[in-house]
Amino acid sequence: SLIGRLMFELPEEMGLIAVAARQTQGKGRGGNVWLSPLGCALSTLHISIPLHSNLGQRIPFIQHLVSLAVVEAVRSIPGYEDIDLRVKWPNDIYYSDLMKLGGVLVNSTLIETTFHILIGFGFNVNNSNPTICINDLIAKFNREEGTELKPLSADCLIARTVTVLERLIEVFQEKGPNGVLPQYYKYWVHSGKQVQLHSEDGPMAWIVGIDDYGYLQVHEEGKGVESVHPDGNSFDMLRNLIVPK
């Protein structure tokens, strides 16, 4: 991609973002194709993270910070705090725990002692199909609460997401995971949820939180707490499955 080639040509301190009106060659996790119609906020952002920093030692956390930044971009606007946008581990943005509105994909390249990170994020702002969009949630909230919140634009939300993300990265670099986790847990869909390990007839475990490296922690009866990794699409909230590594 153009941004992938450009990112090595620019001065270190210069940020770079590409914003697409629509996208036909998008990539999802595990090689899935990500098609994005009009009405979605789509961007690829380049950032540099020093290897010897809190975040450089915990690169998997970046996808969580970006998901959180998208949710915060909406819910930090006065009046919009109760729009039910949430984060789903490891890299999705959800309406409540019901429906996916967007996602995040992170690619990192280590050159000498700097990670060059390409962050792709997309979320549905203004398109009622095939799922639901942020402006539908705002309209629903207005009907239910008698408010008159205005619809939001993709451009505004991309700009806000990048601003919030910069702040979250600063906090993480200064304080580590504990600087951002309380905020993350406030918006995540997994509190108190049970999942099955290994397979559909595997043992039940409770979701506890995420560990210092951004992996999910689960508690299996009599086993204590263990960390699990996302395995392609095997963490499927609809089937509630996770695969320990």
Side-chain angles (χ1 to χ4, degrees), residues 125-147:
V125 180
N126 210 26
N127 187 347
S128 298
N129 292 309
T131 57
I132 195 169
C133 66
I134 288 171
N135 284 335
D136 287 344
L137 298 188
I138 292 168
K140 176 176 181 286
F141 186 81
N142 283 338
R143 284 195 305 275
E144 290 170 0
E145 303 295 326
T147 46

Side-chain angles (χ1 to χ4, degrees), residues 114-125:
T114 304
F115 277 109
H116 288 268
I117 315 282
L118 276 182
I119 298 165
F121 62 93
F123 49 96
N124 193 352
V125 180

Side-chain angles (χ1 to χ4, degrees), residues 187-223:
Y187 294 131
W188 86 330
V189 298
H190 305 289
S191 297
K193 293 274 168 76
Q194 270 191 312
V195 289
Q196 274 179 301
L197 300 177
H198 310 293
S199 65
E200 291 194 24
D201 50 5
M204 294 301 289
W206 293 95
I207 294 180
V208 177
I210 56 181
D211 69 14
D212 269 2
Y213 294 91
Y215 296 122
L216 200 69
Q217 291 177 306
V218 298
H219 180 258
E220 192 186 334
E221 204 77 19
K223 286 272 182 77

Side-chain angles (χ1 to χ4, degrees), residues 152-178:
L152 300 169
S153 74
D155 290 352
C156 154
L157 288 179
I158 290 170
R160 288 184 68 88
T161 297
V162 174
T163 304
V164 173
L165 178 62
E166 285 179 341
R167 196 186 73 234
L168 288 171
I169 289 172
E170 275 173 27
V171 171
F172 195 102
Q173 293 294 38
E174 191 188 326
K175 299 181 177 168
N178 292 337

